Amino acid sequence: MRVFFKLLQIAFIALPLLAMRQDKPIRVVFFGDSITQAGVSPTGYITKVGEMLKSNSQDSQYELIGAGIGGNKVYDLYLRLEDDVLAKKPDVVFIYVGINDVWHKASSGTGTDPDKYVKFYEALIKKLKAQNIRVIVCTPTVIGERNDNSNQQDGDLNQYSKLIREIATRNSLQLLDLRQHFQDYLAKNNPENKEKGILTSDRVHLTDAGNQFLAEKMLEALVQK
């Protein structure tokens, strides 16, 4: 009996100590297309998120993983979900896809129709939620930086962004409305209504300023409670 009580005492002492122990880093996967593929470059947005975490002495709390492939659309993400995301056992996944689904409709006729976009997006979410992964969905940003709604794909981008907002509401997911953030920024910082050169180098892919702006918004969403 004395041994039993001794073990009980040890347990009462050990449990609080275990609870205080540093948990493993939160593993975050950024899942997307060429913008995310470039995100792990020295000036990319994922790298910049890591730098900001380090400056806040939070870098040990997070592990950041880029899972972007150039040209990907939503169904490409669905096809590589198992190998490129689920196999890494993430705690958090940002889904940032839609630019090519819209852009390729005009450039090569190989975009994604709205109904199929929603179908594959919902299928992605279902698999991620089944693994108890925190999912953050992002609206597509820009294809052209004119701030008067005169870029060729503005209508489609607005439509697909609306679909993602509805998906977030329907699935009780955190929304990062990058489309709105970029539009607000360009309204204030593009007085000459330039097509590119503010946040993007070619109407789509990011400048250093664009990567920094995107990193700030991603980090805000990541640490949001």
Side-chain angles (χ1 to χ4, degrees):
M1 184 63 72
R2 186 176 296 175
V3 173
F4 172 77
F5 280 113
K6 188 67 175 175
L7 290 172
L8 204 59
Q9 283 180 315
I10 292 170
F12 277 121
I13 294 168
L15 283 173
L17 291 174
L18 287 171
M20 292 171 64
R21 190 179 62 188
Q22 175 69 37
D23 290 330
K24 67 180 179 65
I26 297 169
R27 184 170 291 175
V28 185
V29 171
F30 298 86
F31 197 24
D33 52 32
S34 57
I35 297 170
T36 296
Q37 185 175 28
V40 298
S41 70
T43 59
Y45 79 86
I46 298 171
T47 302
K48 290 180 182 294
V49 170
E51 290 169 352
M52 287 188 286
L53 285 169
K54 187 172 184 178
S55 69
N56 295 332
S57 300
Q58 293 178 292
D59 50 313
S60 64
Q61 299 174 31
Y62 295 91
E63 178 186 358
L64 310 181
I65 299 172
I69 293 182
N72 268 197
K73 305 178 186 69
V74 68
Y75 58 81
D76 296 303
L77 267 58
Y78 180 79
L79 291 175
R80 62 186 182 89
L81 177 66
E82 296 286 344
D83 291 341
D84 290 359
V85 178
L86 296 182
K88 294 179 171 62
K89 300 189 181 304
D91 301 293
V92 184
V93 173
F94 283 85
I95 305 177
Y96 177 25
V97 69
I99 294 291
N100 293 320
D101 299 88
V102 170
W103 193 12
H104 291 182
K105 290 170 73 175
S107 65
S108 59
T110 60
T112 310
D113 291 335
D115 59 335
K116 291 182 179 177
Y117 183 74
V118 171
K119 178 182 177 181
F120 278 104
Y121 215 113
E122 295 265 18
L124 276 175
I125 290 166
K126 184 177 180 180
K127 287 199 170 190
L128 290 166
K129 289 181 75 173
Q131 301 295 322
N132 296 314
I133 296 166
R134 175 186 168 199
V135 181
I136 303 172
V137 296
C138 306
T139 51
T141 49
V142 294
I143 305 173
E145 298 191 69
R146 293 182 183 135
N147 56 29
D148 60 355
N149 220 38
S150 65
N151 303 289
Q152 182 183 0
Q153 280 88 27
D154 276 343
D156 277 346
L157 283 173
N158 291 336
Q159 178 189 9
Y160 283 54
S161 294
K162 181 174 182 288
L163 292 174
I164 291 177
R165 294 178 192 120
E166 292 170 350
I167 287 170
T169 299
R170 192 159 56 243
N171 292 276
S172 301
L173 296 177
Q174 184 178 346
L175 170 71
L176 175 52
D177 200 341
L178 294 177
R179 174 76 176 154
Q180 190 63 58
H181 288 314
F182 269 59
Q183 288 180 312
D184 291 346
Y185 183 95
L186 292 168
K188 296 176 182 176
N189 297 281
N190 188 10
E192 297 177 20
N193 204 30
K194 294 179 180 179
E195 187 178 23
K196 60 183 179 180
I198 311 299
L199 294 175
T200 76
S201 59
D202 60 357
R203 300 167 56 243
V204 172
H205 299 96
L206 302 176
T207 59
D208 283 351
N211 273 300
Q212 181 63 38
F213 183 70
L214 181 56
E216 290 169 2
K217 297 305 176 185
M218 290 285 192
L219 181 57
E220 286 174 11
L222 178 60
V223 300
Q224 181 178 319
K225 299 300 182 182

